[in-house]
Amino acid sequence: MYRLLYYLFPAMGGYAATSYYLLKNPHLLHKKKELSFHCRHISHRGGAGEKIENTMEAFTNAVTHRTDLLELDCHRTKDGHIVVSHDLNLLRQTGHDVSINDLNYSELPLYKKSLEVTFLSGHHSEGTDRRIPELEEVFQKFPNIPINVEIKEDDDELIKTVSDLVRRYHRCDKTIWASMNKRIMDKCRTENPDMPFMFTKQRGLLLLVLYYTGLLPFLPLPESVMETIMPSIINRTFYPESKLMRNKYLVHLQEKLMMRSSLIKHLQDRGIQVYFWVLNHELDYQKAFSLGATGIMTDYPSKLRGYLNASGQASSGPEKPVNLERNLGYQRNGLSQDESRGRAKV
């Protein structure tokens, strides 16, 4: 037994020292990923605190404030149109207890005149645009803006059509596959392996296991983006539906395990961008960047832009307000605006 310990302790010491060194110097084993974008300013649902979420008005507002990345969710209508909406069931957003996949595109109801901001309880947004847009419209109007497309439903036709749209508009390098579900993400990657993609919930848990066991520096990571909640916003600006997720001890544990600056720096050094969601207060912005986050996902694009400007934080967004007319992209695709809408079904 003593002889075993005699060899075991030096071996464990050597393993720990090697793991620590490679954690600090991942370039010795891994080629750094190079994405076509670097995002500091990310607009959640287009900026759900300033305009009605996921509308063209919201996306336009976000781009006006020089966002680096638009975040949105997609669903498929009964007649095959890919529309931008967070929820499949439209009760919260429109007041109608119907599902997108049970309606034709022309039957979709308008958003409510006022919507509560999910990540800032008690606050509401309003806007003049209440229409549920199609994903193709977003691609057409903002051809050069990176977009994070989340797929929530295990729908092969939805995944295929989104992939086809991404290829049609030549934006594989600036459109992120996003899903918390590993099965869905595997299908997304199979359908279009050229798009960067995020960690799923299962892969995120595995990442933590690898980090705390010291194995992380030795293993390859195919993901390009880590998108994670900052646990300290739970029970303060965000109240999960699950009572378990609101448990203060679980929240504290998540904070201790996940918010590790050495882990975040290791991912950054490997070219993996780290985004925290969804932050709507300046103190949260400050905390996220102090931990080493690449970017922040917010419901308030103008507020985050003001913070970035005031604090001198670099951002890859254009230095001047975007010329939206130039970003329309209709002429580039040989279509008038009316014709492009008619071609939106794919």
Side-chain angles (χ1 to χ4, degrees), residues 1-39:
M1 180 64 177
Y2 291 111
R3 188 171 185 178
L4 176 62
L5 293 176
Y6 178 81
Y7 290 105
L8 181 61
F9 284 146
M12 291 298 294
Y15 167 74
T18 303
S19 176
Y20 179 79
Y21 185 76
L22 292 175
L23 184 75
K24 300 293 184 180
N25 300 277
H27 63 278
L28 295 176
L29 287 184
H30 309 286
K31 182 180 178 180
K32 187 173 183 178
K33 299 175 188 292
E34 295 184 4
L35 297 180
S36 65
F37 51 85
H38 182 85
C39 301

Side-chain angles (χ1 to χ4, degrees), residues 93-254:
Q93 299 167 170
T94 71
H96 297 271
D97 190 8
V98 292
S99 293
I100 289 174
N101 55 10
D102 290 330
L103 299 175
N104 292 325
Y105 177 65
S106 61
E107 299 171 325
L108 293 176
L110 296 175
Y111 281 118
K112 294 176 182 177
K113 292 182 179 180
S114 176
L115 280 181
E116 184 173 20
V117 182
T118 304
F119 287 86
L120 196 58
S121 183
H123 292 252
H124 294 75
S125 63
E126 298 178 350
T128 58
D129 182 7
R130 296 163 53 203
R131 183 178 63 87
I132 298 175
E134 297 184 69
L135 179 63
E136 186 168 17
E137 293 179 68
V138 183
F139 284 176
Q140 288 171 341
K141 190 167 185 179
F142 308 110
N144 301 314
I145 302 297
I147 298 177
N148 185 93
V149 178
E150 182 163 0
I151 307 294
K152 287 184 164 67
E153 305 300 320
D154 190 355
D155 180 340
D156 292 349
E157 191 61 30
L158 168 64
I159 294 169
K160 182 181 186 307
T161 309
V162 169
S163 173
D164 289 345
L165 282 169
V166 169
R167 286 195 169 102
R168 177 186 299 176
Y169 288 94
H170 310 290
R171 50 177 306 121
C172 289
D173 65 323
K174 52 182 172 286
T175 307
I176 301 171
W177 278 129
S179 181
M180 299 299 289
N181 184 286
K182 185 179 183 301
R183 175 181 169 86
I184 294 174
M185 182 60 79
D186 288 344
K187 289 184 176 183
C188 291
R189 292 181 60 195
T190 299
E191 187 63 44
N192 192 332
D194 296 325
M195 291 168 57
F197 62 98
M198 61 169 272
F199 284 84
T200 61
K201 184 184 296 185
Q202 295 93 323
R203 287 282 298 171
L205 291 172
L206 177 60
L207 179 73
L208 289 177
V209 171
L210 295 176
Y211 172 72
Y212 283 104
T213 57
L215 291 169
L216 179 60
F218 300 97
L219 301 176
L221 296 172
E223 293 87 355
S224 296
V225 174
M226 165 63 80
E227 301 178 13
T228 182
I229 191 170
M230 195 163 79
S232 59
I233 72 169
I234 298 175
N235 298 329
R236 184 163 52 83
T237 63
F238 174 55
Y239 299 86
E241 293 182 4
S242 168
K243 187 175 180 180
L244 176 64
M245 295 304 296
R246 297 195 302 269
N247 182 280
K248 65 179 182 180
Y249 299 108
L250 181 59
V251 171
H252 181 72
L253 179 62
Q254 289 182 80

Side-chain angles (χ1 to χ4, degrees), residues 313-324:
Q313 296 279 358
S315 178
S316 60
E319 288 303 316
K320 297 180 180 178
V322 173
N323 185 328
L324 295 179

Side-chain angles (χ1 to χ4, degrees), residues 262-278:
S262 59
L263 170 59
I264 295 168
K265 186 179 186 305
H266 177 79
L267 295 176
Q268 296 259 34
D269 288 345
R270 289 174 70 161
I272 298 172
Q273 298 186 25
V274 180
Y275 309 148
F276 286 166
W277 53 264
V278 171

